[in-house]
Amino acid sequence: MITELRSHFSRRGSPIGPTLGQTNHAIITGGSSGIGFALACLFAAKGISVSILARNSQRLETARKDILVLAADSANVEAIPCDVRLADSCRAAVGQAIAANGPPDWAVACAGIVKPGTFRTLSLDDHRTQFETNFVGSLNFCHAVVPSMVEHGGGKLIFVASGAALIGIYGYSGYCPSKFAVRGLAEVLRVELREHGILVILAHPPDTHTPMLEYETPLRPKATEEIAGGAGVWEPDQVALAIIKGAQKGRFLIVPGIPLILFSFLHSLIAPAFRGYQGWIVKRCGRLNQRISG
């Protein structure tokens, strides 16, 4: 990914643009890889100090060194271990980040996990783990970071949800509900935090080339793979750039790609047809499996 980000800068200079104002600190959960890492690189290249939070200390330190390759001289990069599932861990990590770089102008809840599987094949632990990381982790992070943003006079609070938060998808019985909950939290906070100068942004990225996608793809039921493939696969730097540009324009919803844009704005019209389409694929995959096993 560093190669792709370098190419952005060599072709166009900083790809973020010149209108970030006086922002000087971004705190990003899930910042050691994927979309969170790409966001950290783009912020740091613009001279914004970044604090990346994640569970794996070794990956965090590797990410910190990679971010420094692109960082402007004025940017400081902190790598802080944090388990977003634990409120105390979030409070401690956010406090350490603020002590190092000051109150955040950008706070990004990007940490997430996925384990595909139908409701009958996933265990209760599979469901709980995804919900605790994806939703409770976002909740814990917001609870830790919002007070400092209010005191600071505002900022941008970004939730990285998923295209799977727009409509139920076969094979994501654990993942979809956790991201739907993130969407609900963002929609409420969009209204509640506006009076404090905090702009809430909700991103619904499609499949993105990340370690999470590499992990989940072999586990997907065949029908899920076919259904999910319709939105295409994006690169992390493309998604990160779309998020930053959308946030700069004051948008609440950031939905990269035409298929997901249609779902986000025409959900009530498209959803019944999409459920029928999924049912047709599931039946066809079932017949195919029967022929192969027979």
Side-chain angles (χ1 to χ4, degrees), residues 1-10 14-15 37-38 40-48 63-73 75 77 237:
M1 189 191 307
I2 285 290
T3 301
E4 287 82 357
L5 289 166
R6 276 176 172 159
S7 69
H8 272 305
F9 288 95
S10 64
S14 171
F37 173 74
C41 287
L42 293 175
F43 283 131
K46 196 62 179 177
I48 298 172
R64 187 186 73 85
K65 292 177 180 177
D66 287 341
I67 294 167
L68 285 171
V69 171
L70 294 175
D73 292 340
V77 182
D237 57 302

Side-chain angles (χ1 to χ4, degrees), residues 103-183:
D105 305 280
W106 299 73
V108 186
C110 194
I113 62 169
V114 59
K115 184 174 181 180
T118 62
F119 183 77
R120 294 180 63 193
T121 60
L122 291 180
S123 69
L124 278 176
D125 282 344
D126 293 330
H127 286 276
R128 288 195 183 102
T129 300
Q130 291 178 81
F131 195 80
E132 288 170 1
T133 300
N134 299 341
F135 172 68
V136 177
S138 297
L139 177 65
N140 287 338
F141 175 64
C142 291
H143 213 265
V145 78
V146 163
S148 67
M149 298 179 76
V150 171
E151 185 177 351
H152 183 49
K156 293 180 175 63
L157 176 60
I158 301 175
F159 293 89
V160 180
S162 167
L166 294 170
I167 191 168
I169 300 174
Y170 179 93
Y172 285 130
S173 61
Y175 185 66
C176 277
S178 70
K179 290 297 188 177
F180 267 71
V182 170
R183 173 182 166 187

Side-chain angles (χ1 to χ4, degrees), residues 8-265:
H8 272 305
F9 288 95
S10 64
R11 290 195 305 270
R12 296 186 290 272
S14 171
I16 300 178
T19 59
L20 283 177
Q22 301 302 313
T23 56
N24 57 22
H25 184 202
I27 303 178
I28 305 169
T29 69
S32 64
S33 65
I35 296 170
F37 173 74
L39 283 166
C41 287
L42 293 175
F43 283 131
K46 196 62 179 177
I48 298 172
S49 294
V50 296
S51 300
I52 54 172
L53 281 54
R55 280 185 288 177
N56 189 295
S57 298
Q58 184 175 353
R59 284 202 293 266
L60 269 171
E61 182 57 24
T62 299
R64 187 186 73 85
K65 292 177 180 177
D66 287 341
I67 294 167
L68 285 171
V69 171
L70 294 175
D73 292 340
S74 57
N76 181 50
V77 182
E78 295 288 326
I80 304 172
C82 175
D83 186 342
V84 295
R85 298 172 299 178
L86 306 175
D88 288 345
S89 181
C90 269
R91 280 194 294 268
V94 168
Q96 184 177 338
I98 292 172
N101 292 320
D105 305 280
W106 299 73
V108 186
C110 194
I113 62 169
V114 59
K115 184 174 181 180
T118 62
F119 183 77
R120 294 180 63 193
T121 60
L122 291 180
S123 69
L124 278 176
D125 282 344
D126 293 330
H127 286 276
R128 288 195 183 102
T129 300
Q130 291 178 81
F131 195 80
E132 288 170 1
T133 300
N134 299 341
F135 172 68
V136 177
S138 297
L139 177 65
N140 287 338
F141 175 64
C142 291
H143 213 265
V145 78
V146 163
S148 67
M149 298 179 76
V150 171
E151 185 177 351
H152 183 49
K156 293 180 175 63
L157 176 60
I158 301 175
F159 293 89
V160 180
S162 167
L166 294 170
I167 191 168
I169 300 174
Y170 179 93
Y172 285 130
S173 61
Y175 185 66
C176 277
S178 70
K179 290 297 188 177
F180 267 71
V182 170
R183 173 182 166 187
L185 178 62
E187 290 188 355
V188 173
L189 294 186
R190 170 75 169 183
V191 179
E192 291 188 357
L193 297 180
R194 183 177 299 168
E195 65 179 294
H196 301 290
I198 297 175
L199 177 65
V200 175
I201 296 105
L202 176 62
H204 292 290
D207 276 349
T208 306
H209 277 132
T210 64
M212 191 169 80
L213 184 65
E214 292 177 5
Y215 164 79
E216 72 155 297
T217 299
L219 302 177
R220 285 175 173 174
K222 181 174 175 55
T224 306
E225 179 63 27
E226 189 165 341
I227 292 164
V233 180
W234 284 49
E235 295 299 327
D237 57 302
Q238 293 176 305
V239 175
L241 191 57
I243 290 172
I244 291 175
K245 287 184 174 180
Q248 286 178 294
K249 294 176 180 177
R251 293 176 181 166
F252 171 57
L253 283 180
I254 299 173
V255 189
I258 298 300
L260 294 185
I261 289 174
L262 292 175
F263 271 120
S264 66
F265 290 103

